[in-house]
């Protein structure tokens, strides 16, 4: 009987202690920490609603890559030189600083070669003489960019004892040649001069039979042409 009374008394004390403890808020720490964040989110949402007028924005499936990041853009790729001259490019043709750019020399092979070189390579080739002198003068002016050779590569300039021009393609002994002055005279009329040239493919032997002994200034860096 005494034992039961002791147990009941102990239980009553524990129950009273529990009832006297202050009630703790559920998730008090989480709620107090989240309050500022929720308030800021509501404030931001209100500002966006005011700016957008309630419009709904869709996230794009892809984002454009700015130039200079990721894959290179078309603008970053240098243009390949064309197999054909562009006579509308006045800076390298009709208004060029070429020493041959005078009506008395229009249509000559040297006139064509100087401006065509400027069009292909973007700088003064440095030659000023007759056709047979052009390769050596080019090599003297730009020894870091061209080497002398008896065998051409794409982009080579050639000289013979009476002529100068270019080799645009090489396939073994089959070469694609481009040169001016097919009528063997000057053309003081500009429209006639810009028609007095050719691009032709022939064998080495066929070419040599036309121009005689030939030698070349080969570009140090390979050249690729656009069609």
């Amino acid at each position: 009987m005494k034992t039961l009374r002791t147990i009941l008394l102990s239980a009553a004390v524990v129950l009273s202690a529990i009832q006297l403890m202050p009630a703790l808020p559920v998730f008090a720490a989480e709620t107090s920490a989240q309050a500022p964040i929720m308030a800021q989110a509501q404030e931001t949402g209100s500002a966006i609603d005011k700016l957008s007028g309630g419009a709904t924005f869709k996230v794009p499936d892809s984002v454009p890559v700015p130039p200079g990041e990721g894959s290179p853009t078309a603008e970053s790729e240098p243009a390949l030189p064309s197999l054909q001259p562009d006579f509308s490019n006045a800076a390298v043709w009709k208004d060029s600083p070429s020493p041959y750019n005078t009506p008395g020399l229009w249509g000559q092979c040297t006139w064509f070669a100087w401006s065509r070189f400027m069009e292909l390579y973007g700088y003064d080739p440095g030659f000023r003489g007759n056709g047979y002198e052009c390769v050596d003068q080019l090599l003297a002016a730009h020894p870091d960019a061209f080497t002398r050779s008896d065998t051409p590569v794409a982009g080579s300039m050639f000289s013979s004892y009476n002529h100068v021009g270019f080799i645009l393609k090489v396939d073994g002994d089959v070469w694609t040649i481009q040169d001016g002055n097919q009528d063997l005279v000057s053309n003081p009329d500009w429209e006639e001069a810009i028609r007095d040239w050719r691009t032709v493919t022939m064998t080495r032997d066929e070419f040599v039979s036309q121009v005689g002994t030939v030698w070349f200034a080969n570009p140090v860096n390979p050249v690729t042409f656009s069609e």
Side-chain angles (χ1 to χ4, degrees):
M1 191 68 177
K2 184 178 180 180
T3 301
L4 178 59
R5 183 180 301 171
T6 301
I7 293 173
L8 291 176
L9 180 59
S10 298
V13 172
V14 173
L15 181 59
S16 298
I18 292 175
Q19 290 175 344
L20 291 174
M21 291 177 63
L24 296 175
V26 179
F27 306 119
E30 289 84 348
T31 303
S32 61
Q34 291 173 355
I37 300 174
M38 296 300 294
Q40 185 178 4
Q42 291 173 356
E43 182 179 348
T44 304
S46 298
I48 292 173
D49 288 341
K50 289 178 182 179
L51 291 173
S52 65
T56 300
F57 296 94
K58 181 180 183 297
V59 178
D61 294 331
S62 61
V63 178
V65 178
E69 298 182 16
S71 300
T73 62
E75 290 77 11
S76 67
E77 294 292 336
L80 297 176
S82 173
L83 283 174
Q84 305 305 324
D86 178 10
F87 294 106
S88 68
N89 186 356
V92 299
W93 288 100
K94 197 167 187 180
D95 297 334
S96 80
S98 166
Y100 309 100
N101 188 17
T102 177
L105 295 175
W106 287 351
Q108 287 291 325
C109 61
T110 46
W111 163 81
F112 181 85
W114 195 101
S115 288
R116 188 65 174 124
F117 183 98
M118 174 73 84
E119 190 172 42
L120 293 174
Y121 292 101
Y123 53 88
D124 183 336
F127 58 80
R128 302 288 188 270
N130 295 304
Y132 69 88
E133 299 173 297
C134 290
V135 159
D136 288 337
Q137 291 178 351
L138 169 61
L139 293 171
H142 304 288
D144 57 332
F146 290 86
T147 59
R148 187 185 179 98
S149 178
D150 294 328
T151 304
V153 296
S156 294
M157 194 178 81
F158 71 81
S159 280
S160 70
Y161 290 112
N162 60 357
H163 200 39
V164 62
F166 296 92
I167 306 296
L168 300 184
K169 291 183 179 180
V170 174
D171 184 8
D173 282 340
V174 178
W175 303 343
T176 297
I177 298 115
Q178 190 172 83
D179 52 2
N181 198 26
Q182 300 308 296
D183 61 8
L184 304 180
V185 297
S186 296
N187 305 112
D189 180 274
W190 180 259
E191 295 303 319
E192 290 184 9
I194 63 176
R195 291 192 296 268
D196 188 15
W197 61 280
R198 68 176 180 173
T199 301
V200 62
T201 299
M202 62 179 70
T203 66
R204 178 190 180 281
D205 290 343
E206 290 171 335
F207 180 55
V208 171
S209 71
Q210 291 184 7
V211 302
T213 302
V214 63
W215 52 97
F216 306 93
N218 290 354
V220 171
N221 296 318
V223 178
T224 301
F225 297 93
S226 64
E227 297 295 334

